[in-house]
Amino acid sequence: MREAIREYIKVNMIHDKKYPLKDDEDLFKGGLVDSFSLTELAVFIEDKFSIHFADPELTVANMRTLDHIIRNLEAKQAK
Amino acid sequence: MSRRTLIEYAQYHFEEHPFRSAVTFVHADGSELPHNYFTFFHEAADYAAALEGAGITAGDLVVLVMEQSVSVMAAFWGALLIGALPSIFPFINEKLDAEHYYSSIRQLIGFESVRAVITFAKFEPDLRATLAGLPVEIITTETLKAVGDPAVYFARPAPDPEATAFLQHSSGSTGLQKGVMLSHRAVINQIQEYEEAVDVMSDWNVIASWLPLYHDMGLIAAFILPFKVGVHLVIMSPFEWVRQPVMLLQAITRHHATHVWLPNFAYNFMATRIRDAALTGVNLAELRWVINCSEPVYAESHRVFLKKFAPYGLKESALRVCYAMAENTFAVTQTARKTLPRIDVIDRRRFAEDKIAAPAENDAPYMEIVSCGVPLPNTQVRVIGVEGTVLPDRHVGEIELLSDCMLTGYYQRADLNPFHDGWFMTGDMGYLADGELYVTGRKKDLIIVAGKNVYPQDIENLLNAVPGVHPGRVVAFGVPNAQLGTEDIAVLVEAETDTLLDDDEQRGDIVREVRARIAANTEVTARYVEVLPPRQLIKTSSGKIARSANRDRFLEGLEA
């Protein structure tokens, strides 16, 4: 799951396959994802892993880093 | 009776129909904060009293550093009521670097001799520290006293119609923003013509908007216009909308909104990001004007928007186009009533080589240009060639305009003269055909991303000191993204040494720093960041980085 999302950001969002994207890298302050592409990322995750985000869950705080995203997805799957 | 200032219109609404809906602020959870003219102008009068209490008088500049809210609108009117000049600044968000944000605010406030700042308590400590030593009063919404009486202010003589009513800041290529001075006369003249052009005069019309008020489209179309005309405005935060774009459509449904203004990217954004499941109950049948404005219009964006929302009642006839700028108060041209925007199919080769927009024939490579409509009756438009001569129809040149709703000048910037024989030089390129205006690009390399104007120089200046980047060997430009209906930003930088590129980690560090600096210091993010080997950027004969040649080569690479 983590690697699929990392690949998606690198290939589809920033078009930089070789970018060494770290697990704790801030996607927003780091300028990789902005508030418009946040929903694009969410749609990818939903389609790929059959998970549903309610709109209020799509916050920068919840999606700030790969670690945050994975933690949130795991919590959702555990429910 | 003819009213010649915004104050007289406010007084009319306050006295004639105080309990009519003025503005309703909606949240994503559906909760709403309604205001009628009575409650709204009482709040505005509280701000007027606080400003006068702080010694602010007519002609003083008052800056509003406030999130989207009814408060910022009331503070704006509070300043207007005492003849002070309000101006709404963008507020800080979690992406921006606080130090950079506050230092640019201090620079502008010091430069323009701003006399007062109105803000929310949460921003006050940082603003106070930022503005230390400047003779500026800071007023917070939370310390306002409910003592204002609108009647007191309305009883005073109305201001001179020629007096500046407010400033609208627009970005300049040197970083420091320019304050566009607009008189009461200019604003009233603009709205008199525009309200008719978009058929919004009757009081049953409702305007819905997520547009930020520090931008001309939000400020005029979705704030000043409804208050001048007396129609209900339903407004929300751009930050809430971007997270939950369906909230705009829900608000349109609930309030039977008839008019909405959107930048082009929003058509693609809403068409692709709103799930069908979220659209239950949405009804767009009463929407008569969906006006595409403030960035280049793609015919395809209208198609995807219509396809997605026609099942929910959206009519094709609602989709219109407007060309506007702060310097003309707002609209220059608008799709005429009862017509669809024309789509001009022109010969791509003749456009590129001869600067002529010739209709494409047979199998020639073509491009679609969407008409921005006809000039407002009070605005003349002409197209000027490189020699300064007026060009005939279908010849591409710089767009100039002459109207009775133009800016007076840029605030405290007598060094800037945007006029040519009294005509305003827009810096936009385009052509006229059969009385309609087609905008094809910019004279300078302005990038427009999701309705925000960004100068490539501002991005390039941020990147000269990135470790590993050869100083001065950077270039930024816009890349059209038809899928998003806007432009992406691409940045190319040269590495100082070849060896930096051999190592993914070292190259990654450069990319990381470039992206972070752009994110922290501008309102945009870069989509493409490429680190090139030394001496790979194309330069002009005089040794400067050739922006358009590097852009062309990059675009060829993308298509390959």
Side-chain angles (χ1 to χ4, degrees), chain B residues 96-211:
Chain B
L96 289 174
D97 178 66
E99 202 181 316
H100 173 85
Y101 173 81
Y102 284 112
S103 82
S104 59
I105 283 205
R106 181 186 165 94
Q107 194 191 3
L108 192 58
I109 284 177
F111 178 80
E112 293 188 336
S113 311
V114 172
R115 288 292 321 283
V117 174
I118 305 179
T119 190
F120 292 129
K122 61 182 172 183
F123 300 134
E124 189 196 0
D126 282 336
L127 273 172
R128 238 176 237 296
T130 299
L131 301 176
L134 293 177
V136 183
E137 298 291 334
I138 297 179
I139 294 166
T140 63
T141 294
E142 287 79 355
T143 54
L144 276 193
K145 294 187 187 69
V147 295
D149 178 2
V152 169
Y153 301 100
F154 291 138
R156 296 180 185 175
D160 179 354
E162 295 302 324
T164 300
F166 53 82
L167 299 192
Q168 149 74 41
H169 281 88
S170 73
S171 52
S173 58
T174 57
L176 192 66
Q177 295 211 322
K178 297 179 291 189
V180 175
M181 294 159 70
L182 296 170
S183 67
H184 284 277
R185 174 185 54 78
V187 177
I188 302 288
N189 286 345
Q190 159 74 206
I191 298 177
Q192 293 286 42
E193 297 295 349
Y194 196 53
E195 66 189 21
E196 206 162 315
V198 299
D199 194 15
V200 72
M201 292 97 79
S202 311
D203 58 16
W204 48 265
N205 286 292
V206 175
I207 293 170
S209 177
W210 60 266
L211 302 170

Side-chain angles (χ1 to χ4, degrees), chain B residues 36-355:
Chain B
N36 55 39
Y37 293 101
F38 184 85
T39 58
F40 180 86
F41 282 110
H42 271 86
E43 193 174 332
D46 293 342
Y47 282 99
L51 286 166
E52 286 199 323
I56 306 304
T57 58
D60 287 344
L61 186 50
V62 176
V63 156
L64 315 180
V65 181
M66 304 164 85
E67 289 158 302
Q68 190 106 323
S69 55
V70 172
S71 300
V72 67
M73 304 168 96
F76 191 95
W77 276 99
L80 283 177
L81 287 177
I82 62 163
L85 318 182
S87 187
I88 301 175
F89 274 21
F91 40 87
I92 190 160
N93 61 47
E94 50 199 348
K95 179 182 86 78
L96 289 174
D97 178 66
E99 202 181 316
H100 173 85
Y101 173 81
Y102 284 112
S103 82
S104 59
I105 283 205
R106 181 186 165 94
Q107 194 191 3
L108 192 58
I109 284 177
F111 178 80
E112 293 188 336
S113 311
V114 172
R115 288 292 321 283
V117 174
I118 305 179
T119 190
F120 292 129
K122 61 182 172 183
F123 300 134
E124 189 196 0
D126 282 336
L127 273 172
R128 238 176 237 296
T130 299
L131 301 176
L134 293 177
V136 183
E137 298 291 334
I138 297 179
I139 294 166
T140 63
T141 294
E142 287 79 355
T143 54
L144 276 193
K145 294 187 187 69
V147 295
D149 178 2
V152 169
Y153 301 100
F154 291 138
R156 296 180 185 175
D160 179 354
E162 295 302 324
T164 300
F166 53 82
L167 299 192
Q168 149 74 41
H169 281 88
S170 73
S171 52
S173 58
T174 57
L176 192 66
Q177 295 211 322
K178 297 179 291 189
V180 175
M181 294 159 70
L182 296 170
S183 67
H184 284 277
R185 174 185 54 78
V187 177
I188 302 288
N189 286 345
Q190 159 74 206
I191 298 177
Q192 293 286 42
E193 297 295 349
Y194 196 53
E195 66 189 21
E196 206 162 315
V198 299
D199 194 15
V200 72
M201 292 97 79
S202 311
D203 58 16
W204 48 265
N205 286 292
V206 175
I207 293 170
S209 177
W210 60 266
L211 302 170
L213 297 174
Y214 53 79
H215 186 284
D216 62 345
M217 182 163 55
L219 179 70
I220 304 299
F223 176 31
I224 304 297
L225 180 145
F227 271 84
K228 186 268 179 195
V229 180
V231 296
H232 185 195
L233 170 64
V234 178
I235 195 166
M236 59 199 68
S237 152
F239 289 101
E240 279 194 71
W241 171 80
V242 73
R243 254 180 27 216
Q244 212 164 318
V246 74
M247 72 184 285
L248 176 70
L249 306 182
Q250 290 164 338
I252 289 168
T253 304
R254 260 196 328 273
H255 290 279
H256 309 279
T258 53
H259 289 67
V260 61
W261 280 261
L262 300 167
N264 190 79
F265 85 91
Y267 293 74
N268 297 66
F269 183 69
M270 292 203 282
T272 54
R273 296 289 171 250
I274 296 177
R275 304 175 186 92
D276 288 333
L279 287 165
T280 311
V282 163
N283 181 351
L284 306 177
E286 286 173 82
L287 207 47
R288 294 184 299 121
W289 292 79
V290 181
I291 300 170
N292 192 331
C293 191
S294 94
E295 64 178 331
V297 174
Y298 292 69
E300 188 59 21
S301 299
H302 279 184
R303 292 185 196 115
V304 297
F305 192 73
L306 186 64
K307 182 158 182 266
K308 171 86 174 190
F309 297 113
Y312 300 92
L314 179 71
K315 295 188 222 34
E316 184 178 14
S317 61
L319 301 179
R320 329 278 179 122
V321 179
C322 170
Y323 168 64
M325 65 193 58
E327 285 86 348
N328 199 44
T329 303
F330 182 60
V332 175
T333 64
Q334 169 68 49
T335 310
R337 291 164 72 159
K338 302 192 169 85
T339 61
L340 293 175
R342 285 191 200 164
I343 299 173
D344 203 21
V345 181
I346 62 170
D347 188 307
R348 185 182 281 276
R349 190 190 57 80
R350 294 211 62 198
F351 175 77
E353 291 172 11
D354 309 333
K355 303 266 177 285

Side-chain angles (χ1 to χ4, degrees), chain A residues 12-22 25 28-43 46 52-56 58-61 64, chain B residues 94-96 239 241-246 265 269 272-273 275 278 450 452 484 488 504-505 507-509 511-512 515-517 519-520 524-530:
Chain A
N12 296 73
M13 300 184 77
I14 64 166
H15 305 283
D16 191 349
K17 226 184 287 186
K18 288 188 187 161
Y19 183 73
L21 177 60
K22 298 177 196 164
E25 187 164 344
F28 295 90
K29 288 196 169 154
L32 293 113
V33 173
D34 60 22
S35 44
F36 297 112
S37 51
L38 176 64
T39 51
E40 177 192 340
L41 182 60
V43 169
E46 289 189 326
H52 175 71
F53 288 107
D55 282 329
L58 290 180
T59 62
V60 171
R64 187 173 288 288
Chain B
E94 50 199 348
K95 179 182 86 78
L96 289 174
F239 289 101
W241 171 80
V242 73
R243 254 180 27 216
Q244 212 164 318
V246 74
F265 85 91
F269 183 69
T272 54
R273 296 289 171 250
R275 304 175 186 92
K452 294 171 200 148
L484 297 182
D488 284 330
D504 281 346
E505 288 298 327
R507 189 195 65 93
D509 284 344
V511 171
R512 188 171 287 126
R515 287 187 176 283
R517 286 194 189 200
V524 295
T525 55
R527 169 83 62 177
Y528 302 92
V529 176
E530 287 192 4

